[in-house]
Amino acid sequence: MTHSPTPGSLEDILERSGAVPAIIDFPGVDELLASFEQLSSLHPDLVRSRRIGTSRLGEPIPMFSIGEGSRSYLLFAGVHPNEPIGFRMLQHLAAALTDDDALRDAFDATWHVIPCIDPDGTRLNEGWYPAPSDRSFYARHFYRPAPDEQVEWTFPFAYKQAWFDRVLPETQALMRVIDDVRPDFMVSLHNAELGGVYFYLSGEVDGAVEALQAVPRSLGLPLDTGEPETPTVRPFGTAVYSMISMSEEYDFLEGLGVEAATMISNGESSSSYAAKHGTVSLVAELPYWSHPDADDEAPTAQTYASVLHRKADALIETGTALQRIVDAADLTLDTPFRRATGAFVPYLIVNGETEHRRADGEDTARRATGAEVFSNEDIVRCFRLRYGGMTLRMLDAEVAAGHATARTRRAHAEMATLFARWCAESDAQADLTALPIESLVGVQFGATLAVARCLIDAETDR
C-alpha cells in the first residue's frame, strides 16, 4: 500500500515542492495577468478579483482572492521587477489551491494574491525573461528601480534624521490592502542572483528554521552561508535571518561614522508596515545561478578584513568608472534608467568607503570562509553587470532619440566596451550553474506552505 502524507504536513509540502512542472522562462505582465483572469473564469466559485490600485503609468493592478478560509494570507510579486520567480510561484500556488480541495482545507485560509504590484518596472525587464539562464543577456536587459521608486522600500519611514513619505501609488495600493485584509501571514516574493538559498522572517516562529532549511535541501539546492546582504540582520539559523530594518541600518551606519540620513534615500519595507497587524512576514531569496563555493564553510588563507578591503576597492573603482562615463555624456532624457543610474552609481563609491570602515572594525582579523570570499567577490561582478547594463540602456535611449551629441555617442561607445569586458569576466567564472526554475519556484512554494503550517501548529499549541 502506498503511503500518502497528510495534506499540509511538512512531508506533503516537501513532496509538492518537488512536483513543480518544468519551467524555462518567466511571464511578461500580459501573460501573467491573463493566466489569473483565466483561472478566475474557470473557478468563479473559488476565485474573486478586484482592482486595488493603478500604476504610475496608468496600468490597473488587480488582486485575486482564493477560498474563504478563516485565516488571512497575503502574497505579492514584482516588488522588485528584476525578480520574477514569484510570478511563476503565484501561478503555481493559485493552480494548486483551485485544483486541490484538501490543500485548501489544510490551511483554512483566504489567499489574497497580487500577481504583479509593479507592472511598469516589470515591462522594462521583459527583454531577458525568455532566456533567463544567460547572465550577460540578463544584465543587458536588466532594470531595477532607484531605491525611492521600489515598491518594497517606499513605505513611510521616520527615524532620527531620516524621513521618507514619497509613497508610490503602487505602495499606497499595497498599504490599503494590508490594512484591509490584516494578514496573519504575508509573503513578499523576492529573489537574489547567485549563491544559495536564504530566508528572512519578521520574527522567530517555532519550527520555521528547520522547515525552511528542509525545503531547498529536499530539492538539492544549497543554503547560502556566505556574506548576508547587510551585517545588521540577525541569524535565526543557517541562512534564515531577521528582516532588514531601516532603523537598524541607520544605527549601523551611524556607528561607522557615516552620516546615515544622507545614505538612506528610501523608506521602510512591507514587513515593517504590516507589523502593526501582528503579521508574520516571510521573504525567500533564491538565486538564478549557483556555484560550489556558495556554501563552502571551510576557512581560507585570507583574512576577512582583506576580503572586505578588496571588495571595497573594486566597488569604488566600479563606481568611479561609471560616474566618469555618465559625467561625460550630455543627458537630456528623464528615463527610469537615468534615475536608477543616478542613484546606484554614487552608492557604489559610498558603499566601498563604508566597507573599508567595516573592514577596520572588530572581529575582521579571522580567516574568511570560502563562501565569504566568493560572495564578496561576486557582489562586485553582480553590481558591474547590473549597473553597467542600466547605464548602457540609459545611453541607448539617448542615442535612439536621435539627438545625441558627439560627447554622448563617445560615452555610449566607451560604456559598451566596458560592459562587454565585464560580461566576459563574468562569463569566464568557472563552475557557474543555472538552476532549474521549477526548483526555485518549488522553494518559494514550499517555504510559504511550511511557515504557514508552523503558524497553524503554534496556534494549536497555545
Side-chain angles (χ1 to χ4, degrees):
M1 177 180 274
T2 305
H3 168 70
S4 295
T6 303
S9 65
L10 182 59
E11 183 183 4
D12 175 62
I13 290 166
L14 296 180
E15 189 174 291
R16 291 174 185 273
S17 300
V20 178
I23 302 171
I24 61 171
D25 59 9
F26 296 112
V29 176
D30 294 335
E31 177 189 341
L32 175 65
L33 295 183
S35 70
F36 273 88
E37 291 292 351
Q38 182 181 30
L39 193 73
S40 181
S41 65
L42 289 173
H43 302 278
D45 55 329
L46 285 176
V47 183
R48 304 167 303 286
S49 67
R50 66 180 168 106
R51 179 172 175 166
I52 61 167
T54 307
S55 77
R56 280 157 285 173
L57 293 181
E59 290 212 39
I61 301 174
M63 180 174 78
F64 298 82
S65 299
I66 303 171
E68 295 183 344
S70 63
R71 300 179 181 90
S72 177
Y73 295 166
L74 175 62
L75 302 92
F76 43 89
V79 280
H80 287 145
N82 60 294
E83 301 177 0
I85 294 172
F87 299 155
R88 288 296 189 202
M89 185 282 207
L90 290 182
Q91 287 179 313
H92 181 75
L93 173 68
L97 290 171
T98 53
D99 288 346
D100 192 332
D101 294 346
L103 180 65
R104 274 197 326 280
D105 293 344
F107 291 93
D108 183 24
T110 302
W111 300 76
H112 303 286
V113 173
I114 305 172
C116 182
I117 193 65
D118 183 6
D120 302 345
T122 298
R123 292 191 185 280
L124 295 179
N125 278 284
E126 289 181 348
W128 64 267
Y129 286 0
S133 63
D134 185 327
R135 198 179 189 190
S136 294
F137 184 77
Y138 159 82
R140 185 63 179 90
H141 299 273
F142 173 94
Y143 168 69
R144 186 179 181 89
D148 63 353
E149 296 184 37
Q150 297 176 9
V151 176
E152 181 64 271
W153 291 108
T154 49
F155 288 80
F157 176 58
Y159 184 70
K160 294 184 177 179
Q161 300 304 309
W163 178 272
F164 184 90
D165 62 357
R166 301 185 305 280
V167 179
L168 304 175
E170 297 88 341
T171 311
Q172 290 176 336
L174 192 49
M175 289 166 64
R176 287 193 297 268
V177 167
I178 291 171
D179 290 337
D180 179 24
V181 306
R182 296 173 174 263
D184 300 295
F185 179 43
M186 187 173 81
V187 184
S188 179
L189 291 161
H190 290 255
N191 59 259
E193 288 188 10
L194 196 155
V197 176
Y198 59 103
F199 305 93
Y200 293 111
L201 273 173
S202 58
E204 296 191 65
V205 176
D206 286 347
V209 169
E210 296 78 11
L212 287 171
Q213 292 169 340
V215 175
R217 285 173 176 157
S218 73
L219 291 162
L221 300 183
L223 294 172
D224 196 306
T225 59
E227 191 79 1
E229 287 187 79
T230 170
T232 64
V233 294
R234 301 179 303 282
F236 293 143
T238 301
V240 183
Y241 302 97
S242 63
M243 287 287 182
I244 296 173
S245 159
M246 292 314 301
S247 59
E248 291 174 1
E249 290 288 307
Y250 189 110
D251 289 341
F252 171 74
L253 293 170
E254 194 174 49
L256 292 176
V258 175
E259 193 173 344
T262 64
M263 285 277 288
I264 297 174
S265 61
N266 54 274
E268 259 292 5
S269 68
S270 57
S271 171
S272 174
Y273 184 79
K276 63 185 179 181
H277 299 300
T279 302
V280 173
S281 296
L282 167 72
V283 170
E285 294 277 11
L286 295 304
Y288 301 122
W289 305 277
S290 192
H291 189 275
D293 291 344
D295 59 350
D296 179 8
E297 298 188 71
T300 67
Q302 303 178 56
T303 66
Y304 186 54
S306 69
V307 171
L308 291 180
H309 278 305
R310 189 167 66 249
K311 169 189 177 183
D313 286 339
L315 290 174
I316 292 171
E317 176 191 352
T318 300
T320 301
L322 290 173
Q323 191 65 62
R324 180 178 52 77
I325 291 173
V326 171
D327 291 343
D330 298 313
L331 302 176
T332 62
L333 303 177
D334 180 22
T335 63
F337 307 112
R338 182 177 178 180
R339 296 193 297 273
T341 299
F344 289 122
V345 169
Y347 163 80
L348 291 173
I349 298 171
V350 176
N351 190 24
E353 294 168 347
T354 302
E355 289 296 88
H356 273 312
R357 289 190 181 93
R358 188 159 74 95
D360 292 332
E362 298 178 359
D363 301 325
T364 58
R366 64 175 177 81
R367 290 197 291 169
T369 66
E372 288 172 334
V373 172
F374 175 79
S375 59
N376 277 287
E377 290 177 347
D378 195 72
I379 198 65
V380 175
R381 286 189 289 269
C382 168
F383 285 170
R384 284 176 173 172
L385 293 179
R386 279 185 173 195
Y387 307 138
M390 283 204 296
T391 303
L392 188 52
R393 291 187 76 178
M394 175 188 73
L395 295 169
D396 287 343
E398 295 285 343
V399 171
H403 55 247
T405 65
R407 279 167 45 90
T408 301
R409 291 181 181 277
R410 284 195 297 271
H412 181 256
E414 183 179 358
M415 187 65 245
T417 299
L418 180 60
F419 182 69
R421 192 187 88 203
W422 285 343
C423 286
E425 291 171 357
S426 175
D427 291 344
Q429 181 70 26
D431 299 324
L432 208 64
T433 302
L435 298 172
I437 296 173
E438 59 270 20
S439 296
L440 303 176
V441 170
V443 170
Q444 282 189 337
F445 176 73
T448 297
L449 298 184
V451 174
R453 170 48 55 193
C454 289
L455 291 171
I456 293 172
D457 290 344
E459 289 175 16
T460 305
D461 292 341
R462 282 202 292 268

